[in-house]
Amino acid sequence: MPLALLALAVGAFGIGTTEFVIMGLLPEIAADYGVSIPTAGLLVTGYALGVVLGAPLLTVLGTRISRKRMLMLLMGLFVLGNLVSALAPSFGLMLTGRVVASLAHGAFFGIGSVVAADLVAPDKKAGAIATMFTGLTVANIVGVPLGTYIGQAVGWRTTFAGVAALGIVGLLGIVKLVPAMPRPEGAHLRRELTAFRNPQVLLAMAMTVLGFGGVFAAITYIAPMMTHVAGYSDGAVTWLLVLFGIGMFLGNLLGGKYADRKLMPMLYTTLGGLAVVLALFTLTAHNKVLAAITIMLVGALGFATVPPLQKRVLDQAHGAPTLASAVNIGAFNLGNALSAWLGGMVITAGLGYTSPNWVGALLAAAALGLAFWSAALERRTPATTAPADTAAVPVPVHH
């Protein structure tokens, strides 16, 4: 594999770290700024909404300049946002930094996937893309727990300064290792938008919003839930996030393995299992051992939905895989924003730190209902054949 993939993986590692590390540091940030935990949860919502807006807009912009230059600009934006977060004197400025960093998220993975595939022979494209996404997976096993530990031991500002430094390493790697590539053809936006007339594309994206939203409803407030309900110490949140990351890693492998074989049955199983596990989390959160097991299961079941949901969108968006893929990245993060907001609402209403688990269970159940509806509509509609170049190499893209 070319060394350029290492630069992309480092960028993915930094982006994955900054997206998820906020969950383990919410109590510290809330205390530092003198705001409530649900208010601090807006840092999750704001980031997610930034991805929703930035993914399609910057992906379209990225088709008009060289891909290498666009990746450099995106990593520069990422570094700037994390530096603002690290130095922010007020909560409002901290939130601004999170949004600035988030704008780079979706477009980096969308354009980075294309670059990774172009760096290797046709029969190695999927492997090259997977190599880049390894950075994101490893971030949740190493970067997020380490960032949480540093944030709790030294201060959360140090964590965000470290993430900014990672972004600089990724930027320098792109400058030195990613070769200059021809400027891509102009974006045919009108043609790309026609894919969204297909109701199956919209249903798949709605499943993405609700399904992955179920995961974030619980995980956004994992720190206060584990310390106030399960009885863990603040330091224990670090290794609990390691368990979540391991679950993500295993779930992503299983989802990728079975998405090509039996896509819809895989979705039924993972979404149904996720709804059940999240509902049970309301009870298991009161026991340390059961809570730890449940956190790992939430990570596994949640991320097992990612490959089949992404492939479902690509299969249905025959004429516009690039824009549809970017919008689906936004859909994952729209689910994150929705669930973080709803979770904060039920906590504020006095229902307790376990109440977001019920929100997550209902969201996952709703996604399961949409999956059955989508399959029923498909049985009534004559099948269409995807173009060979779209079907040959499914592109794994993160939320």
Short mmCIF file of all heavy atoms in Angstrom, two decimals, residues 64-107:
data_model
loop_
_atom_site.label_atom_id
_atom_site.label_comp_id
_atom_site.label_asym_id
_atom_site.label_seq_id
_atom_site.Cartn_x
_atom_site.Cartn_y
_atom_site.Cartn_z
N ARG A 64 -14.08 20.99 -7.92
CA ARG A 64 -13.69 22.10 -8.77
C ARG A 64 -12.22 22.49 -8.60
O ARG A 64 -11.72 23.35 -9.31
CB ARG A 64 -14.60 23.31 -8.50
CG ARG A 64 -16.07 22.99 -8.75
CD ARG A 64 -16.96 24.20 -8.57
NE ARG A 64 -18.36 23.85 -8.79
CZ ARG A 64 -18.94 23.77 -9.98
NH1 ARG A 64 -18.24 24.01 -11.06
NH2 ARG A 64 -20.22 23.45 -10.08
N ILE A 65 -11.53 21.92 -7.62
CA ILE A 65 -10.09 22.13 -7.47
C ILE A 65 -9.43 20.77 -7.34
O ILE A 65 -10.11 19.75 -7.21
CB ILE A 65 -9.76 23.02 -6.26
CG1 ILE A 65 -10.19 22.34 -4.96
CG2 ILE A 65 -10.41 24.39 -6.39
CD1 ILE A 65 -9.78 23.11 -3.72
N SER A 66 -8.11 20.71 -7.34
CA SER A 66 -7.43 19.43 -7.26
C SER A 66 -7.74 18.77 -5.92
O SER A 66 -7.90 19.44 -4.89
CB SER A 66 -5.92 19.61 -7.40
OG SER A 66 -5.35 20.15 -6.23
N ARG A 67 -7.82 17.45 -5.95
CA ARG A 67 -8.18 16.72 -4.75
C ARG A 67 -7.13 16.87 -3.65
O ARG A 67 -7.47 16.99 -2.47
CB ARG A 67 -8.38 15.24 -5.09
CG ARG A 67 -9.65 14.99 -5.90
CD ARG A 67 -9.68 13.60 -6.48
NE ARG A 67 -10.89 13.39 -7.26
CZ ARG A 67 -11.00 12.51 -8.23
NH1 ARG A 67 -9.96 11.75 -8.55
NH2 ARG A 67 -12.12 12.38 -8.90
N LYS A 68 -5.86 16.88 -4.02
CA LYS A 68 -4.81 17.06 -3.02
C LYS A 68 -4.95 18.41 -2.34
O LYS A 68 -4.87 18.50 -1.11
CB LYS A 68 -3.43 16.94 -3.68
CG LYS A 68 -2.28 17.18 -2.70
CD LYS A 68 -0.93 16.93 -3.33
CE LYS A 68 0.19 17.19 -2.33
NZ LYS A 68 1.52 16.86 -2.86
N ARG A 69 -5.17 19.46 -3.12
CA ARG A 69 -5.32 20.80 -2.54
C ARG A 69 -6.55 20.85 -1.63
O ARG A 69 -6.52 21.48 -0.56
CB ARG A 69 -5.42 21.84 -3.64
CG ARG A 69 -5.56 23.27 -3.10
CD ARG A 69 -5.49 24.28 -4.21
NE ARG A 69 -4.18 24.28 -4.83
CZ ARG A 69 -3.83 25.10 -5.83
NH1 ARG A 69 -4.71 25.97 -6.31
NH2 ARG A 69 -2.62 25.04 -6.35
N MET A 70 -7.63 20.19 -2.04
CA MET A 70 -8.84 20.20 -1.23
C MET A 70 -8.60 19.47 0.10
O MET A 70 -9.04 19.93 1.16
CB MET A 70 -10.00 19.53 -1.98
CG MET A 70 -11.34 19.70 -1.30
SD MET A 70 -11.81 21.45 -1.20
CE MET A 70 -13.18 21.38 -0.06
N LEU A 71 -7.89 18.35 0.06
CA LEU A 71 -7.58 17.64 1.30
C LEU A 71 -6.72 18.50 2.22
O LEU A 71 -6.90 18.49 3.45
CB LEU A 71 -6.86 16.32 0.98
CG LEU A 71 -7.72 15.21 0.38
CD1 LEU A 71 -6.84 14.04 -0.05
CD2 LEU A 71 -8.78 14.73 1.37
N MET A 72 -5.79 19.24 1.65
CA MET A 72 -4.96 20.14 2.45
C MET A 72 -5.81 21.23 3.10
O MET A 72 -5.64 21.54 4.28
CB MET A 72 -3.87 20.77 1.56
CG MET A 72 -2.81 19.78 1.10
SD MET A 72 -1.80 20.42 -0.29
CE MET A 72 -1.17 21.95 0.40
N LEU A 73 -6.72 21.81 2.34
CA LEU A 73 -7.60 22.84 2.89
C LEU A 73 -8.48 22.29 4.01
O LEU A 73 -8.69 22.94 5.03
CB LEU A 73 -8.47 23.43 1.78
CG LEU A 73 -7.76 24.32 0.75
CD1 LEU A 73 -8.71 24.67 -0.39
CD2 LEU A 73 -7.25 25.59 1.42
N LEU A 74 -8.98 21.07 3.82
CA LEU A 74 -9.84 20.46 4.83
C LEU A 74 -9.08 20.19 6.13
O LEU A 74 -9.60 20.43 7.22
CB LEU A 74 -10.44 19.16 4.28
CG LEU A 74 -11.47 19.32 3.16
CD1 LEU A 74 -11.80 17.98 2.54
CD2 LEU A 74 -12.73 20.00 3.67
N MET A 75 -7.85 19.70 6.02
CA MET A 75 -7.07 19.46 7.23
C MET A 75 -6.69 20.78 7.91
O MET A 75 -6.64 20.86 9.14
CB MET A 75 -5.80 18.66 6.90
CG MET A 75 -6.06 17.19 6.60
SD MET A 75 -7.12 16.33 7.80
CE MET A 75 -6.17 16.50 9.30
N GLY A 76 -6.45 21.82 7.12
CA GLY A 76 -6.19 23.14 7.70
C GLY A 76 -7.40 23.65 8.48
O GLY A 76 -7.26 24.21 9.59
N LEU A 77 -8.59 23.43 7.93
CA LEU A 77 -9.82 23.82 8.61
C LEU A 77 -9.99 23.03 9.90
O LEU A 77 -10.39 23.57 10.94
CB LEU A 77 -11.00 23.56 7.66
CG LEU A 77 -12.35 24.21 8.00
CD1 LEU A 77 -12.24 25.73 7.95
CD2 LEU A 77 -13.40 23.74 6.99
N PHE A 78 -9.66 21.76 9.85
CA PHE A 78 -9.75 20.88 11.01
C PHE A 78 -8.82 21.36 12.14
O PHE A 78 -9.20 21.43 13.30
CB PHE A 78 -9.40 19.44 10.59
CG PHE A 78 -9.32 18.47 11.72
CD1 PHE A 78 -10.46 17.95 12.30
CD2 PHE A 78 -8.08 18.06 12.20
CE1 PHE A 78 -10.38 17.04 13.34
CE2 PHE A 78 -7.99 17.16 13.24
CZ PHE A 78 -9.14 16.64 13.82
N VAL A 79 -7.58 21.69 11.77
CA VAL A 79 -6.61 22.18 12.75
C VAL A 79 -7.10 23.48 13.38
O VAL A 79 -7.05 23.66 14.60
CB VAL A 79 -5.23 22.39 12.09
CG1 VAL A 79 -4.28 23.12 13.04
CG2 VAL A 79 -4.63 21.04 11.67
N LEU A 80 -7.58 24.40 12.55
CA LEU A 80 -8.07 25.69 13.04
C LEU A 80 -9.20 25.50 14.05
O LEU A 80 -9.20 26.11 15.13
CB LEU A 80 -8.55 26.55 11.87
CG LEU A 80 -9.21 27.89 12.23
CD1 LEU A 80 -8.22 28.79 12.95
CD2 LEU A 80 -9.77 28.56 10.99
N GLY A 81 -10.16 24.65 13.72
CA GLY A 81 -11.30 24.43 14.61
C GLY A 81 -10.88 23.88 15.96
O GLY A 81 -11.39 24.31 17.01
N ASN A 82 -9.94 22.94 15.97
CA ASN A 82 -9.51 22.34 17.24
C ASN A 82 -8.66 23.30 18.06
O ASN A 82 -8.72 23.28 19.29
CB ASN A 82 -8.77 21.03 16.97
CG ASN A 82 -9.71 19.88 16.69
OD1 ASN A 82 -10.35 19.35 17.60
ND2 ASN A 82 -9.82 19.50 15.43
N LEU A 83 -7.90 24.17 17.39
CA LEU A 83 -7.15 25.19 18.13
C LEU A 83 -8.10 26.19 18.79
O LEU A 83 -7.88 26.60 19.93
CB LEU A 83 -6.19 25.92 17.17
CG LEU A 83 -4.91 25.17 16.81
CD1 LEU A 83 -4.09 25.98 15.81
CD2 LEU A 83 -4.07 24.88 18.06
N VAL A 84 -9.16 26.57 18.08
CA VAL A 84 -10.15 27.47 18.66
C VAL A 84 -10.79 26.82 19.88
O VAL A 84 -10.97 27.46 20.93
CB VAL A 84 -11.22 27.85 17.61
CG1 VAL A 84 -12.39 28.59 18.27
CG2 VAL A 84 -10.62 28.72 16.51
N SER A 85 -11.12 25.53 19.77
CA SER A 85 -11.72 24.82 20.91
C SER A 85 -10.77 24.78 22.09
O SER A 85 -11.17 24.94 23.25
CB SER A 85 -12.11 23.40 20.49
OG SER A 85 -13.17 23.42 19.55
N ALA A 86 -9.48 24.54 21.83
CA ALA A 86 -8.50 24.42 22.90
C ALA A 86 -8.30 25.74 23.64
O ALA A 86 -8.01 25.73 24.84
CB ALA A 86 -7.17 23.93 22.33
N LEU A 87 -8.44 26.85 22.94
CA LEU A 87 -8.14 28.16 23.53
C LEU A 87 -9.38 28.95 23.91
O LEU A 87 -9.26 30.03 24.49
CB LEU A 87 -7.30 28.98 22.54
CG LEU A 87 -5.96 28.36 22.11
CD1 LEU A 87 -5.32 29.18 21.00
CD2 LEU A 87 -5.02 28.25 23.31
N ALA A 88 -10.58 28.45 23.57
CA ALA A 88 -11.82 29.22 23.73
C ALA A 88 -12.04 29.69 25.16
O ALA A 88 -12.12 28.88 26.09
CB ALA A 88 -13.01 28.39 23.27
N PRO A 89 -12.19 31.02 25.38
CA PRO A 89 -12.45 31.53 26.73
C PRO A 89 -13.92 31.41 27.14
O PRO A 89 -14.25 31.55 28.32
CB PRO A 89 -12.04 33.00 26.62
CG PRO A 89 -12.26 33.35 25.18
CD PRO A 89 -11.96 32.09 24.41
N SER A 90 -14.80 31.16 26.18
CA SER A 90 -16.23 31.07 26.49
C SER A 90 -16.83 29.84 25.83
O SER A 90 -16.27 29.29 24.87
CB SER A 90 -16.97 32.31 25.97
OG SER A 90 -16.94 32.36 24.56
N PHE A 91 -17.97 29.40 26.36
CA PHE A 91 -18.63 28.22 25.80
C PHE A 91 -19.05 28.46 24.35
O PHE A 91 -18.94 27.57 23.51
CB PHE A 91 -19.85 27.85 26.65
CG PHE A 91 -20.58 26.63 26.15
CD1 PHE A 91 -20.07 25.36 26.39
CD2 PHE A 91 -21.76 26.74 25.42
CE1 PHE A 91 -20.74 24.22 25.91
CE2 PHE A 91 -22.42 25.62 24.95
CZ PHE A 91 -21.91 24.36 25.20
N GLY A 92 -19.53 29.67 24.06
CA GLY A 92 -19.94 29.98 22.69
C GLY A 92 -18.81 29.85 21.70
O GLY A 92 -18.99 29.34 20.59
N LEU A 93 -17.61 30.29 22.08
CA LEU A 93 -16.46 30.18 21.18
C LEU A 93 -16.00 28.73 21.06
O LEU A 93 -15.56 28.29 20.00
CB LEU A 93 -15.32 31.06 21.69
CG LEU A 93 -14.22 31.41 20.67
CD1 LEU A 93 -14.82 32.05 19.42
CD2 LEU A 93 -13.19 32.34 21.29
N MET A 94 -16.13 27.98 22.15
CA MET A 94 -15.83 26.55 22.11
C MET A 94 -16.74 25.84 21.10
O MET A 94 -16.30 25.04 20.28
CB MET A 94 -16.02 25.94 23.50
CG MET A 94 -16.01 24.42 23.56
SD MET A 94 -14.43 23.71 23.18
CE MET A 94 -14.70 21.98 23.59
N LEU A 95 -18.01 26.18 21.14
CA LEU A 95 -18.98 25.60 20.22
C LEU A 95 -18.64 26.00 18.78
O LEU A 95 -18.73 25.17 17.85
CB LEU A 95 -20.39 26.06 20.58
CG LEU A 95 -21.54 25.54 19.72
CD1 LEU A 95 -21.58 24.02 19.72
CD2 LEU A 95 -22.87 26.11 20.21
N THR A 96 -18.20 27.23 18.58
CA THR A 96 -17.80 27.69 17.24
C THR A 96 -16.63 26.86 16.72
O THR A 96 -16.61 26.45 15.55
CB THR A 96 -17.41 29.18 17.29
OG1 THR A 96 -18.52 29.95 17.73
CG2 THR A 96 -16.97 29.67 15.92
N GLY A 97 -15.65 26.61 17.58
CA GLY A 97 -14.51 25.80 17.17
C GLY A 97 -14.92 24.40 16.77
O GLY A 97 -14.40 23.83 15.80
N ARG A 98 -15.87 23.81 17.51
CA ARG A 98 -16.37 22.47 17.17
C ARG A 98 -17.02 22.46 15.79
O ARG A 98 -16.81 21.54 15.00
CB ARG A 98 -17.39 22.01 18.22
CG ARG A 98 -16.81 21.71 19.58
CD ARG A 98 -16.06 20.40 19.59
NE ARG A 98 -16.98 19.26 19.43
CZ ARG A 98 -16.57 18.01 19.18
NH1 ARG A 98 -15.29 17.75 19.02
NH2 ARG A 98 -17.45 17.03 19.07
N VAL A 99 -17.81 23.48 15.51
CA VAL A 99 -18.49 23.55 14.21
C VAL A 99 -17.48 23.72 13.08
O VAL A 99 -17.58 23.08 12.02
CB VAL A 99 -19.52 24.69 14.20
CG1 VAL A 99 -20.10 24.88 12.80
CG2 VAL A 99 -20.65 24.40 15.19
N VAL A 100 -16.48 24.59 13.28
CA VAL A 100 -15.46 24.80 12.25
C VAL A 100 -14.74 23.49 11.93
O VAL A 100 -14.54 23.12 10.77
CB VAL A 100 -14.45 25.88 12.70
CG1 VAL A 100 -13.25 25.92 11.75
CG2 VAL A 100 -15.12 27.25 12.74
N ALA A 101 -14.34 22.75 12.97
CA ALA A 101 -13.67 21.47 12.76
C ALA A 101 -14.57 20.47 12.05
O ALA A 101 -14.11 19.69 11.20
CB ALA A 101 -13.20 20.90 14.10
N SER A 102 -15.84 20.50 12.36
CA SER A 102 -16.78 19.53 11.80
C SER A 102 -17.00 19.71 10.30
O SER A 102 -17.35 18.77 9.60
CB SER A 102 -18.12 19.61 12.52
OG SER A 102 -18.83 20.79 12.16
N LEU A 103 -16.81 20.92 9.81
CA LEU A 103 -17.05 21.18 8.39
C LEU A 103 -16.13 20.35 7.51
O LEU A 103 -16.46 20.04 6.36
CB LEU A 103 -16.87 22.68 8.09
CG LEU A 103 -17.89 23.62 8.73
CD1 LEU A 103 -17.51 25.07 8.47
CD2 LEU A 103 -19.29 23.34 8.21
N ALA A 104 -14.95 19.99 8.05
CA ALA A 104 -13.99 19.21 7.26
C ALA A 104 -14.32 17.72 7.24
O ALA A 104 -13.84 16.99 6.36
CB ALA A 104 -12.59 19.42 7.82
N HIS A 105 -15.11 17.26 8.19
CA HIS A 105 -15.31 15.83 8.44
C HIS A 105 -15.82 15.06 7.22
O HIS A 105 -15.14 14.16 6.70
CB HIS A 105 -16.29 15.68 9.62
CG HIS A 105 -16.56 14.28 10.05
ND1 HIS A 105 -16.38 13.85 11.33
CD2 HIS A 105 -17.02 13.21 9.36
CE1 HIS A 105 -16.70 12.56 11.42
NE2 HIS A 105 -17.11 12.17 10.23
N GLY A 106 -17.01 15.39 6.77
CA GLY A 106 -17.64 14.61 5.71
C GLY A 106 -16.89 14.66 4.40
O GLY A 106 -16.70 13.64 3.73
N ALA A 107 -16.47 15.87 4.00
CA ALA A 107 -15.78 16.01 2.72
C ALA A 107 -14.43 15.29 2.74
O ALA A 107 -13.99 14.74 1.73
CB ALA A 107 -15.58 17.49 2.39
#
